[in-house]
């Protein structure tokens, strides 16, 4: 099988390690990979791991082109693959959707679309605009169920995101009297969520001078969030970072991961934190069904500072409970979120799409 994997800059920035593992896993299963990456990507974002992907052909495409140049963009990609046409086009990232559909029309090959966020359900190409989509791949059962209501049952496959788990579990909160570290990650879309979380955090940290937090600041409200942390006098204990993916090794050495938003957003960093037995304190999010209250995470139901104070207090001031959450989270990842399982389910979905089990797709001969 030959898979054309097309990725946009957003997904490459935040998920390059997961995508590299995925590509290597597919190659190990005998799948030929042609990767299509944005040509506008700054050189510093072409990571060392991406450069080592020598077994997979790499093509580049312009992401932003005028409408009258879109057909030509697809034609150039099609011409580059004319000696070895793919069996299926796998689109990862919203900016890849129009490129994948245009390429599908030229090559007469089915498209598989990765749906990694709950809010994408209402935006995916469907019906006539998605006539060549043979599969939608969802990382959680709630996202899959929501998408099935829109596009039908047969087109949706549940493919849990997989990560590599460290061989040995790390002991978190090893010396809570001396040091407690937190990583706070999010897209910066929901300002009220940050207002509630930071309000609760400020109350808890008053009695924990040994605690330090890393706060990811990106998205449309990053300045407002920083100003809020300043007003709450948190900057002595909070360091801001521009993008969590760029600081992954440091963040995965923290004791607690905090997720303030209910964005239904699947991030490998969250799963990697769980695999490393970090305790997770998160806003209750129905789309992320692997976060189960008092089992794999401490969930916060309310959107108030007091709700977050209570939720963070339970984790930060109860080391045994935090370690219990971390151990259960690690067990969940080891059982349900392995890279090998993600690869296996992807291959099954691609085979069904190519065989036409999911959708009737007339194919030209190679």
């Amino acid at each position: 099988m030959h898979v054309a994997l097309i990725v946009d800059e957003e997904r490459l920035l935040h998920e390059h390690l997961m995508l590299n593992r995925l590509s290597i896993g597919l190659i190990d299963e005998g799948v030929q990979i042609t990767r299509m990456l944005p040509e506008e990507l700054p050189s510093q974002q072409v990571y060392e791991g991406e450069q080592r992907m020598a077994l997979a052909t790499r093509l580049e495409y312009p992401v932003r082109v005028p409408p009258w140049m879109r057909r030509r963009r697809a034609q150039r990609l099609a011409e580059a693959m004319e000696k070895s046409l793919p069996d299926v086009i796998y689109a990862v990232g919203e900016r890849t959707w129009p490129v994948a559909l245009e390429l599908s029309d030229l090559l007469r090959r089915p498209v598989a679309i990765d749906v990694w966020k709950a809010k994408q359900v209402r935006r995916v190409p469907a019906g006539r605009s998605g006539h060549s989509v043979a599969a939608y791949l969802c990382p959680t059962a709630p996202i899959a169920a929501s998408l099935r209501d829109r596009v039908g049952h047969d087109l949706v496959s549940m493919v849990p995101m997989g990560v590599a788990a460290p061989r040995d579990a790390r002991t978190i909160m090893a010396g809570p009297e001396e040091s407690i570290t937190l990583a706070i990650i999010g897209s910066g879309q929901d300002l009220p969520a940050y207002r509630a979380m930071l309000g609760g955090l400020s109350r808890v940290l008053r009695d924990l001078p040994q605690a330090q937090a890393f706060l990811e600041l990106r998205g449309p409200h990053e300045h407002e969030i920083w100003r809020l942390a300043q007003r709450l006098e948190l900057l002595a204990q909070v360091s801001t970072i521009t993008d969590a993916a760029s600081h992954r090794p440091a963040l995965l050495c923290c004791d607690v991961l905090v997720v303030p938003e209910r964005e239904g957003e699947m991030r490998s960093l969250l799963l990697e934190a769980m695999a490393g037995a970090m305790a997770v304190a998160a806003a209750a999010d129905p789309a992320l069904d692997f976060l189960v209250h008092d089992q794999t995470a401490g969930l916060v139901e309310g959107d108030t500072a007091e709700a977050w104070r209570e939720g963070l207090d339970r984790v930060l001031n109860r080391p045994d409970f935090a370690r219990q959450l971390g151990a259960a989270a690690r067990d969940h990842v080891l059982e349900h979120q392995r890279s090998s399982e993600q690869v296996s389910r992807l291959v099954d979905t691609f085979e069904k799409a190519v065989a036409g089990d999911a959708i009737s797709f007339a194919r030209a001969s190679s």
Side-chain angles (χ1 to χ4, degrees):
M1 180 185 296
H2 182 183
V3 175
L5 170 62
I6 179 168
V7 185
D8 69 11
E9 64 269 43
E10 192 277 339
R11 290 285 79 199
L12 190 61
L13 174 64
H14 295 294
E15 298 295 350
H16 63 282
L17 293 177
M18 183 274 292
L19 291 168
N20 283 342
R21 286 193 300 268
L22 192 61
S23 296
I24 292 171
L26 290 170
I27 291 170
D28 286 344
E29 292 295 316
V31 177
Q32 178 185 348
I33 300 290
T34 295
R35 294 172 306 136
M36 301 179 187
L37 306 177
E39 67 180 18
E40 299 94 342
L41 202 66
S43 59
Q44 66 268 25
Q45 290 182 13
V46 181
Y47 297 88
E48 179 185 358
E50 205 283 321
Q51 292 172 341
R52 288 200 298 263
M53 288 295 301
L55 293 178
T57 300
R58 171 176 169 167
L59 302 176
E60 294 186 348
Y61 69 95
V63 177
R64 299 166 184 84
V65 297
W68 60 87
M69 288 293 294
R70 291 174 183 171
R71 187 73 172 180
R72 181 56 185 155
R73 174 180 58 185
Q75 287 172 339
R76 288 176 178 172
L77 289 172
E79 290 166 1
M81 292 188 293
E82 62 183 358
K83 292 184 179 180
S84 179
L85 296 182
D87 296 299
V88 63
I89 301 164
Y90 180 30
V92 180
E94 284 193 49
R95 288 187 179 272
T96 69
W97 296 349
V99 187
L101 295 173
E102 292 155 5
L103 193 57
S104 172
D105 287 342
L106 288 173
L107 299 180
R108 304 298 297 161
R109 295 298 191 263
V111 175
I113 288 182
D114 186 70
V115 182
W116 57 273
K117 191 173 183 179
K119 291 183 178 180
Q120 291 177 323
V121 167
R122 63 177 181 270
R123 299 197 295 263
V124 295
R128 179 171 294 183
S129 66
H131 67 92
S132 60
V133 179
Y136 301 88
L137 299 92
C138 301
T140 69
I143 295 176
S146 179
L147 188 54
R148 288 184 179 115
D149 289 339
R150 182 176 177 212
V151 303
H153 186 277
D154 292 341
L155 290 177
V156 179
S157 294
M158 224 276 277
V159 181
M161 183 181 287
V163 296
R167 179 174 300 179
D168 299 315
R170 184 171 57 89
T171 301
I172 63 168
M173 308 280 274
E177 301 84 4
E178 298 178 0
S179 174
I180 301 173
T181 52
L182 302 84
I184 305 169
I185 65 171
S187 64
Q189 300 285 335
D190 188 346
L191 185 57
Y194 279 89
R195 185 176 292 113
M197 183 276 299
L198 290 174
L201 181 66
S202 68
R203 301 177 189 182
V204 175
L205 292 191
R206 290 170 190 167
D207 299 322
L208 295 173
Q210 74 275 30
Q212 292 288 326
F214 298 96
L215 171 63
E216 180 182 28
L217 284 184
R218 62 181 175 95
H221 299 298
E222 58 179 291
H223 182 67
E224 291 96 326
I225 294 169
W226 183 86
R227 291 291 299 272
L228 179 60
Q230 183 185 46
R231 287 197 299 271
L232 291 169
E233 299 182 349
L234 281 170
L235 297 185
Q237 290 178 269
V238 174
S239 301
T240 61
I241 56 177
T242 56
D243 182 77
S246 302
H247 301 273
R248 191 179 301 254
L251 298 185
L252 292 177
C253 290
C254 291
D255 299 305
V256 178
L257 185 75
V258 180
V259 185
E261 296 174 297
R262 294 178 175 85
E263 288 291 300
E265 179 180 339
M266 193 69 178
R267 298 183 67 174
S268 62
L269 181 59
L270 170 56
L271 294 176
E272 287 174 354
M274 294 171 66
M278 286 176 63
V280 174
D285 190 331
L288 304 183
D289 55 352
F290 56 91
L291 296 180
V292 181
H293 185 50
D294 282 359
Q295 295 184 35
T296 60
L299 299 184
V300 177
E301 292 287 349
D303 292 317
T304 65
E306 179 58 22
W308 272 99
R309 185 203 65 77
E310 292 178 2
L312 290 170
D313 180 74
R314 295 179 70 227
V315 175
L316 297 179
N317 283 307
R318 294 171 58 188
D320 289 341
F321 177 62
R323 286 189 284 268
Q324 176 186 326
L325 287 179
R330 175 177 166 84
D331 288 343
H332 171 86
V333 172
L334 291 175
E335 185 175 356
H336 301 288
Q337 311 279 171
R338 302 303 295 260
S339 293
S340 56
E341 179 66 14
Q342 183 182 14
V343 169
S344 176
R345 294 204 187 190
L346 264 182
V347 171
D348 288 345
T349 301
F350 292 155
E351 288 177 345
K352 290 178 181 178
V354 171
D357 291 354
I359 189 172
S360 177
F361 194 89
R363 292 180 49 192
S365 60
S366 300

